Amino acid sequence: MGFTHWMEVDDQTDDAVVFSCPEPGCGRRVVVGGDSGLLVVDQGDFHARHVGAVGPIGLDASIAGIA
């Protein structure tokens, strides 16, 4: 597995958060919560583990988590 990338909060509403990865060459962006549950906007580094949290909404995703 690749490295761990710490996601930053770009924007948020009462029920959803937009996380983005600031790592050079990555740029993964995801929306967590809302109607979609989890929506990957930009894939970024597919092999990196991406983690982040704000309040009750958290993200911990990696290629190892895919069945």
Side-chain angles (χ1 to χ4, degrees):
M1 184 183 325
F3 299 96
T4 298
H5 292 182
W6 295 93
M7 304 286 279
E8 296 178 346
V9 175
D10 270 355
D11 199 3
Q12 66 186 95
T13 64
D14 289 339
D15 67 343
V17 177
V18 178
F19 287 100
S20 66
C21 182
E23 290 292 324
C26 184
R28 176 174 285 193
R29 287 190 312 143
V30 298
V31 178
V32 179
D35 293 335
S36 64
L38 175 68
L39 173 66
V40 177
V41 179
D42 294 308
Q43 180 174 306
D45 183 349
F46 186 73
H47 298 286
R49 175 180 175 217
H50 287 85
V51 298
V54 61
I57 299 176
L59 170 72
D60 187 344
S62 69
I63 190 171
I66 298 173

